Amino acid sequence: MYPVVEWKNNKVYMIDQRLLPLEEKIIEHSDYRQVARSIKDMVVRGAPAIGVSAAMGIALGVMAIKPDGNLEADFKEITATLSATRPTAVNLFWAVERMKKVFHLWKQDLALLKQKMKEEAIAIDKEDVEINRQIGANGQALLKSGQTILTHCNAGALATAGYGTALGVIRAAIENNKDIRVVADETRPYLQGARLTVWELQQDNIPVTLITDNMAGYIMAQGRIDGVIVGADRIAGNGDTANKIGTYSAAILANYHKIPFYVAAPVSTIDFTLESGKEIPIEERDKEEVIYFMKQRTARPETEVFNPAFDVTPHHLITAIITEKKVLYPDFKKAIDSLRQ
Ligand code: MRU
């Protein structure tokens, strides 16, 4: 099995997702700055996996703090560096907050603090797999044998600590003996669908058909899609959902064709502080991602480019949000409020 992100012998290991599916290379991280770079450069990506990586990065950073150092200042630097990597996936900030709590509980004893930080990061990793299995168990009840499900980007094992959110629902349905087929959007410009979703489903022998993003409407109009399931990077208090660019278009198409549109995500992806999706910060990435296709330039270098990495699907286009606690239905504001602790 490939390590999406793994803690081993006080080092962090990640499969380099930039190279998949052409090359399977594992990168070793012994420094928190290196982990931050890997998040920023998309060695690891996907909201829950980013959260786990940030927690492990913080643990690595704290383990390197010297007894004669300035503990508070060093910790601030570590958390600030990891927080500055990617702005949209709220799981990153959720994980940083969780690590901060542990830091403040144990900071009086450096040796114990190091142990506790490491334990917390490993716990976040383990919990994520269990959460995804629960999302799968809750979501699979919505699927019927014989259905074909369209997904966008990669919300699978590669985007989490394992099993996946959107793909976790599909895995769980198949484990329940349902015959499910997947249609994967290619997901331009970064090709998470073609490179990652197709690769991981093929590894599990789950039937998958790849389409380019602009084919989704046609295949829906033909009646060949029974449902859409996507992941999420941040869900606002009213259910508006930020996910990979192109998700909004898929939701509009699903709505037009009266196909259910599901979001599968852990409660840690809900940002209870935001009233609506308008407040979600949307990452803009380098223009190179758009003017190159698999390292081949497809437009002149001086071309003006707009490259938002995410879009926001308004809550009224979403049929249900599948979480580990329960499946949420409209009114999403009320349903999300019921999850507040
Ligand atoms: O830019 P990425 O690859 O990190 O974007 C990932 C997505 O948009 C996923 O759908 C989302 O993080 C959910 S992953 C379970």
Side-chain angles (χ1 to χ4, degrees), residues 133-153:
R133 287 197 174 271
Q134 197 51 52
I135 290 172
N138 292 344
Q140 68 81 26
L142 301 167
L143 306 189
K144 291 194 189 71
S145 195
Q147 288 189 324
T148 299
I149 303 300
L150 182 133
T151 191
H152 188 74
C153 192

Side-chain angles (χ1 to χ4, degrees), residues 103-121:
F103 175 82
H104 290 298
L105 263 177
W106 301 98
K107 62 185 177 187
Q108 305 307 340
D109 179 338
L110 185 59
L112 198 52
L113 173 69
K114 290 183 177 182
Q115 184 59 26
K116 294 287 179 189
M117 294 302 270
K118 176 166 124 178
E119 283 171 9
E120 188 70 359

Side-chain angles (χ1 to χ4, degrees), residues 77-148:
E77 174 65 26
I78 294 164
T79 53
T81 304
L82 283 148
S83 299
T85 49
R86 296 196 68 195
T88 304
V90 78
N91 307 59
L92 166 67
F93 308 99
W94 169 88
V96 170
E97 283 312 309
R98 223 174 117 163
M99 295 302 280
K100 276 186 185 167
K101 275 196 193 127
V102 175
F103 175 82
H104 290 298
L105 263 177
W106 301 98
K107 62 185 177 187
Q108 305 307 340
D109 179 338
L110 185 59
L112 198 52
L113 173 69
K114 290 183 177 182
Q115 184 59 26
K116 294 287 179 189
M117 294 302 270
K118 176 166 124 178
E119 283 171 9
E120 188 70 359
I122 293 171
I124 290 175
D125 182 45
K126 276 221 175 83
E127 283 166 27
D128 188 57
V129 182
E130 286 155 26
I131 286 169
N132 293 334
R133 287 197 174 271
Q134 197 51 52
I135 290 172
N138 292 344
Q140 68 81 26
L142 301 167
L143 306 189
K144 291 194 189 71
S145 195
Q147 288 189 324
T148 299

Side-chain angles (χ1 to χ4, degrees), residues 42 45-48 86 153-155 159 165 192 232-233 243-244 310:
M42 313 250 292
R45 31 64 52 202
R86 296 196 68 195
C153 192
N154 172 265
T165 54
Q192 288 93 332
D233 287 85
N243 191 52
K244 179 54 52 196
F310 303 95

Side-chain angles (χ1 to χ4, degrees), residues 27-84:
I27 299 188
E28 181 186 282
H29 304 75
S30 48
D31 182 276
Y32 77 91
R33 293 175 203 88
Q34 216 185 338
V35 173
R37 178 118 311 272
S38 279
I39 297 174
K40 209 176 172 66
D41 290 351
M42 313 250 292
V43 168
V44 66
R45 31 64 52 202
I50 291 171
V52 173
S53 304
M56 289 193 181
I58 292 171
L60 266 188
V62 170
M63 291 191 65
I65 292 177
K66 302 259 171 351
D68 55 354
N70 182 341
L71 183 60
E72 294 278 353
D74 287 352
F75 185 69
K76 221 171 160 184
E77 174 65 26
I78 294 164
T79 53
T81 304
L82 283 148
S83 299

